[in-house]
Amino acid sequence: MSDTSPDDDRSDGTDPDSARTDGTGIVPPDDETPTWRERNERTTGLSRLTYEYFERSRREDQDLREESDYVERDVLAFPTWPHELIRNLALTCFFVGMIVFLAATFPPHLGAVASSSQTPQVILPDWYLYWSFGLLKLGPLNPELAILSGEKLMSDGVYGVLANVAVVAIIAVVPFLNKGSARRPVEQPFWAAVGVMGVVFATTISIYSAKNLIPIDPHLLLDLTFLVPPVAGAVAYAVLKTMREGYMYDLNRRYYKLRPPK
């Protein structure tokens, strides 16, 4: 009498625990899906479990898309557990491993110890704060009032702080002004151009913050800081405006092809 039960037999003669090589993946059909306890008892490791997850997610996504009448507008999603959690865990492990590898391969260079009695020749904050540091250097734009005998109403430091407040206020207000449903820059060229202007201005004001290291006349560099962003925004608006007509035509053609009007 055989020790194997009929449930362990497969019509194709393959081992139920072996990987499938016929292109269908290693995930069994729904009626053969193992329970969580059975999956926990496996000793194959995290790599196989991760592969099974990706294979099953791919198959579920393919089944949903084949059953859907309108593919591009349907929102297809998966539960947070275990689908999203395992995927995010795999991505997190990959990036953490890359960071550890780079840190071990290219260790940072440690310079000389800073002297508390000597001011460094160049003082700059971290690179992502260059734009704010550049706004603090807008002293040449601080107006001198004739009614105050040519003196400035406020100090250059206070003027730079107010400039930071104004820029942050503009960034905070823009999302409330633009409440459209566009998902691509070409759908709303104006607001896309505003975004390009903001990015370019952040770049130019960051360059201006290190004006003592840039081999350009400071006055010319200040002019370019405020002239380049509008030019870049105008070019972006013109390009996106030209592309918009063709883009909307192709989008509507796909829409009516997949879902004809009744």
Side-chain angles (χ1 to χ4, degrees):
M1 182 175 179
S2 176
D3 295 334
T4 60
S5 61
D7 295 335
D8 294 334
D9 296 335
R10 294 293 184 272
S11 58
D12 55 358
T14 59
D15 185 2
D17 291 331
S18 63
R20 301 181 182 179
T21 59
D22 56 357
T24 60
I26 63 174
V27 180
D30 293 338
D31 56 348
E32 302 176 10
T33 301
T35 63
W36 176 252
R37 175 175 297 180
E38 293 173 344
R39 188 182 295 271
N40 226 9
E41 292 175 353
R42 293 185 179 182
T43 59
T44 51
L46 179 61
S47 59
R48 180 183 176 93
L49 180 61
T50 305
Y51 181 78
E52 288 183 2
Y53 154 72
F54 280 112
E55 181 65 23
R56 183 165 186 84
S57 298
R58 181 197 62 78
R59 198 180 70 179
E60 290 180 359
D61 180 75
Q62 181 180 358
D63 294 341
L64 288 174
R65 293 184 181 276
E66 290 177 353
E67 296 173 358
S68 176
D69 296 330
Y70 185 51
V71 177
E72 293 189 4
R73 296 287 175 169
D74 283 345
V75 179
L76 306 178
F78 297 101
T80 302
W81 171 261
H83 297 74
E84 297 296 329
L85 185 61
I86 294 181
R87 184 189 65 178
N88 294 339
L89 179 62
L91 294 175
T92 302
C93 291
F94 171 77
F95 285 109
V96 170
M98 289 297 298
I99 293 175
V100 172
F101 170 76
L102 293 176
T105 307
F106 306 102
H109 173 69
L110 299 179
V113 179
S115 175
S116 58
S117 60
Q118 183 179 2
T119 303
Q121 183 178 3
V122 179
I123 300 177
L124 287 173
D126 293 332
W127 64 268
Y128 49 83
L129 293 176
Y130 279 5
W131 65 272
S132 180
F133 192 63
L135 293 175
L136 294 176
K137 293 187 175 183
L138 294 181
L141 298 182
N142 192 2
E144 298 178 355
L145 302 180
I147 59 176
L148 298 178
S149 302
E151 297 181 0
K152 296 181 179 181
L153 182 62
M154 64 186 75
S155 64
D156 292 342
V158 175
Y159 186 79
V161 172
L162 292 180
N164 275 272
V165 173
V167 170
V168 173
I170 293 174
I171 296 175
V173 169
V174 167
F176 295 96
L177 298 178
N178 178 24
K179 297 182 180 180
S181 58
R183 301 177 60 184
R184 297 170 179 83
V186 71
E187 297 178 13
Q188 286 191 345
F190 173 77
W191 290 107
V194 172
V196 171
M197 289 178 56
V199 173
V200 174
F201 177 72
T203 303
T204 55
I205 197 66
S206 298
I207 296 175
Y208 182 75
S209 67
K211 61 182 180 180
N212 53 336
L213 302 177
I214 306 298
I216 301 178
D217 182 71
H219 298 287
L220 177 60
L221 188 60
L222 180 62
D223 295 337
L224 294 177
T225 300
F226 290 92
L227 289 178
V228 173
V231 173
V235 172
Y237 178 80
V239 172
L240 294 175
K241 191 70 174 179
T242 304
M243 297 171 54
R244 188 173 187 272
E245 182 177 356
Y247 170 80
M248 297 304 294
Y249 172 77
D250 292 337
L251 182 64
N252 291 333
R253 184 177 60 178
R254 292 199 307 269
Y255 177 82
Y256 286 114
K257 183 179 180 180
L258 292 172
R259 178 176 290 179
K262 296 181 181 179

